[in-house]
Amino acid sequence: MRRFVANRAKHLIGSLQRPLSSQSYFLSSTSAADPSTMSSSSATVTSETINPKVLNCEYAVRGEIVTHAQHLQQELQEKPGSHPFKEILYCNIGNPQSLGQQPITYFREVLALCDHPTILDRSETQGLFSADAIERAWQILDQIPGRATGAYSHSQGIKGLRDAIAAGIAARDGFPADPNDIFLTDGASPAVHMMMQLLIRSEKDGILCPIPQYPLYSASIALHGGTLVPYYLDEATGWGLEISELKKQLGEAQSKGITVRALVVINPGNPTGQVLAEDNQREIVEFCKREGLVLLADEVYQENVYVAEKKFHSFKKISRSMGYGEKDLSLVSFQSVSKGYYGECGKRGGYMEVTGFGADIREQIYKVASVNLCSNISGQILASLVMNPPKVGDESFESFCAEKDGILSSLARRAKTLEDAFNSLEGVTCNKAEGAMYLFPRLHLPRKAIEAAEAAKTAPDAFYARRLLDATGIVVVPGSGFGQVLGTWHIRCTILPQEDKIPAIVSRLTAFHQSFMAEFRD
């Protein structure tokens, strides 16, 4: 999973951002350690002597609230009945299989055969595995030196697997893809870090990021010593991305002496769940071309679209359909096997497609990739399967489609049920979940609740999330971990708990919220 999130607004954004919450851009759940509490043997390494960029990082989706949830879970195991709920319901992170989603059969069959190829020659294998899974496993093994999934591969990824991914991209977009443009990575996170390493030279280099944003971006910018330049999504228009806002924030950054290098766009959105319209994407491409910005397109939720009126279009497809080629726009697209209908978070597979960079820069990207030798082979195989799944006529095609459609249709129902539930609550508004795996409802909290949060020295949305957890066992993430406009408070809630658990979540949430509002109503 993406690992880090920055927390200090002054370090990341300086004076570029609109005023945010008084407790700072990102909640800090930790403070500098007290040297007096440390043993003499470890005194040479203290919070004062480690890299300060690390201190600026916090990962909200696995932060203080989740740590407390894990403590409660242990107490439930040791002392059943010790809390007013029987289980912890983790709605904090996009981790589908941990909440009961079953892996896609075809993908796991191919992985099993590749990892243990001696069974391919056994007669009983024909009855246990589908014929196309066996065939695909042979094809993949023939592309791996020594047919060994436990061996290192080429640092950019196995060539044959990159070929399969390029073919899948071409089929998706209707435009050719070059396997030499593809770098296989352990999920999308290392790819994002590689690009930040490439682009950021000092704090004078800035990256335009959406607010709210997925905390990986603020974290990676902080770790690599750059400046986050925020652009604010418009909640009133369903988290719309306005070009006028990009121009404004770019101008303000430049007036501060910041050189803006790139624009991050997350589509479908995390944590906000919107799907960009095609016309809006064209405007974004034009903006990046005109301003000479690298377009960093986070497209890991491309399979997760739940409304008929919206479709996913990759930024590469949009730019090519506008007539822009390699020399016109620098574009990096990120994909991961952790999301979509596959949800293979623990396999750590992903890739970035890098276009519009010269050969000299590509050489430098390869050098950075080679430092880690290679990404894991199982993740590489999965990425090739995700982008090149069974086709019509394959033995697995019908069962594969049934599993895929079943997961996506269930996610759409869960999104709608939870969206309606939030909107039914007093003082809560929630935009439509068009895609991705999350809802980001706004909490209109009573003044007394805000004062109680201030007395507890925490943000109001964190105060609400903690109270929700203690009363119901439901784990959500405070919106302050993602960034939000001054005076607004949100929570991020995944739609991933299995469908049969959704009614219980709605019931617990409703009862808690009614009690909370009654306690703090002005």
Side-chain angles (χ1 to χ4, degrees):
M1 188 59 200
R2 304 178 179 186
R3 296 177 182 274
F4 306 106
V5 57
N7 83 32
R8 294 182 185 172
K10 290 183 180 178
H11 178 76
L12 292 178
I13 308 174
S15 58
L16 296 177
Q17 69 175 72
R18 296 175 185 167
L20 296 183
S21 67
S22 60
Q23 108 289 336
S24 87
Y25 182 76
F26 291 110
L27 268 182
S28 177
S29 65
T30 60
S31 58
D34 180 2
S36 67
T37 66
M38 304 182 70
S39 67
S40 59
S41 62
S42 62
T44 55
V45 180
T46 72
S47 58
E48 286 76 28
T49 62
I50 66 171
N51 187 340
K53 295 169 187 174
V54 175
L55 292 175
N56 288 332
C57 291
E58 179 188 344
Y59 187 44
V61 296
R62 288 193 178 181
E64 183 179 358
I65 297 291
V66 180
T67 299
H68 182 54
Q70 292 167 343
H71 176 70
L72 295 178
Q73 183 170 341
Q74 184 175 351
E75 288 184 347
L76 284 173
Q77 292 172 348
E78 295 173 353
K79 301 176 183 178
S82 57
H83 295 283
F85 44 84
K86 294 182 179 179
E87 63 177 334
I88 301 294
L89 294 169
Y90 288 96
C91 300
N92 61 299
I93 194 168
N95 194 13
Q97 293 188 25
S98 72
L99 295 173
Q101 180 174 307
Q102 294 301 302
I104 298 297
T105 302
Y106 174 80
F107 293 168
R108 287 302 182 88
E109 285 189 350
V110 175
L111 281 176
L113 292 166
C114 287
D115 276 338
H116 194 33
T118 57
I119 65 175
L120 281 165
D121 293 323
R122 296 179 183 175
S123 58
E124 60 265 34
T125 299
Q126 303 294 328
L128 295 173
F129 294 85
S130 60
D132 52 330
I134 294 172
E135 182 181 0
R136 179 70 74 91
W138 276 120
Q139 292 172 356
I140 291 171
L141 287 168
D142 285 342
Q143 296 160 358
I144 300 174
R147 293 181 174 175
T149 59
Y152 291 132
S153 77
H154 187 282
S155 292
Q156 199 168 336
I158 295 166
K159 175 61 165 58
L161 301 182
R162 287 187 280 122
D163 289 338
I165 292 170
I169 293 171
R172 180 195 69 190
D173 294 344
F175 294 94
D178 185 345
N180 292 318
D181 291 339
I182 295 166
F183 289 76
L184 295 174
T185 53
D186 289 328
S189 300
V192 171
H193 280 290
M194 277 196 280
M195 294 314 301
M196 295 306 173
Q197 283 180 305
L198 183 80
L199 295 171
I200 294 172
R201 297 163 296 184
S202 74
E203 71 277 1
K204 291 296 185 181
D205 283 330
I207 309 292
L208 274 161
C209 288
I211 301 298
Q213 53 99 38
Y214 182 68
L216 167 68
Y217 292 98
S218 51
S220 59
I221 292 167
L223 286 171
H224 298 295
T227 296
L228 187 151
V229 180
Y231 67 88
Y232 288 76
L233 303 177
D234 185 0
E235 187 169 9
T237 59
W239 301 111
L241 194 167
E242 302 293 336
I243 299 299
S244 59
E245 170 69 3
L246 292 178
K247 292 178 179 177
K248 174 184 175 183
Q249 298 298 344
L250 175 63
E252 289 189 11
Q254 291 172 337
S255 71
K256 303 285 185 181
I258 301 296
T259 300
V260 178
R261 308 298 309 281
L263 169 68
V264 173
V265 180
I266 307 173
N267 180 47
N270 177 8
T272 45
Q274 82 284 10
V275 178
L276 294 178
E278 197 170 348
D279 287 346
N280 196 194
Q281 290 184 265
R282 291 193 186 96
E283 292 177 324
I284 294 165
V285 169
E286 287 286 6
F287 175 78
C288 288
K289 182 178 184 298
R290 182 173 61 251
E291 301 296 342
L293 301 178
V294 178
L295 177 51
L296 301 176
D298 183 329
E299 298 176 336
V300 304
Y301 297 98
Q302 59 190 258
E303 300 279 3
N304 300 98
V305 179
Y306 309 124
V307 291
E309 65 271 21
K310 292 285 186 77
K311 303 285 185 188
F312 168 79
H313 299 285
S314 75
F315 271 100
K316 184 186 172 193
K317 175 183 177 181
I318 294 294
S319 63
R320 296 295 182 266
S321 68
M322 295 170 69
Y324 295 142
E326 286 278 342
K327 296 182 179 180
D328 300 305
L329 180 73
S330 295
L331 169 65
V332 183
S333 305
F334 304 108
Q335 169 65 318
S336 170
V337 305
S338 299
K339 310 305 176 186
Y341 59 88
Y342 10 96
E344 293 279 11
C345 302
K347 296 298 182 183
R348 309 310 301 132
Y351 69 82
M352 62 179 178
E353 185 184 16
V354 179
T355 59
F357 292 81
D360 56 338
I361 303 303
R362 295 284 294 276
E363 183 179 342
Q364 298 304 311
I365 297 173
Y366 177 77
K367 180 174 69 177
V368 173
S370 68
V371 170
N372 290 323
L373 296 176
C374 70
S375 59
N376 80 85
I377 304 303
S378 291
Q380 291 190 33
I381 293 170
L382 262 175
S384 75
L385 297 176
V386 161
M387 296 305 295
N388 207 331
K391 305 292 192 298
V392 175
D394 291 342
E395 181 183 333
S396 296
F397 179 73
E398 290 187 7
S399 60
F400 166 79
C401 289
E403 290 179 36
K404 172 184 174 179
D405 294 344
I407 291 169
L408 291 173
S409 60
S410 176
L411 286 171
R413 291 191 298 271
R414 286 177 255 176
K416 185 65 168 63
T417 299
L418 287 169
E419 173 195 324
D420 290 345
F422 279 118
N423 281 319
S424 72
L425 301 178
E426 177 187 357
V428 179
T429 55
C430 184
N431 281 329
K432 189 177 186 67
E434 297 178 337
M437 295 178 170
Y438 316 99
L439 295 164
F440 200 62
R442 180 175 173 180
L443 308 175
H444 303 263
L445 297 174
R447 180 173 298 276
K448 288 182 181 179
I450 295 173
E451 291 173 350
E454 290 173 349
K457 297 182 179 180
T458 189
D461 48 8
F463 178 76
Y464 181 93
R466 177 65 177 256
R467 292 282 296 259
L468 174 66
L469 171 59
D470 285 335
T472 68
I474 298 172
V475 188
V476 297
V477 187
S480 42
F482 301 85
Q484 53 196 347
V485 175
L486 175 68
T488 67
W489 307 104
H490 300 78
I491 55 174
R492 189 188 79 159
C493 178
T494 73
I495 61 172
L496 295 175
Q498 288 299 289
E499 201 163 358
D500 62 356
K501 293 186 181 293
I502 298 297
I505 291 174
V506 171
S507 176
R508 293 188 202 179
L509 173 67
T510 301
F512 163 78
H513 188 79
Q514 290 172 346
S515 175
F516 183 92
M517 295 299 285
E519 179 181 352
F520 292 105
R521 186 174 286 110
D522 295 329

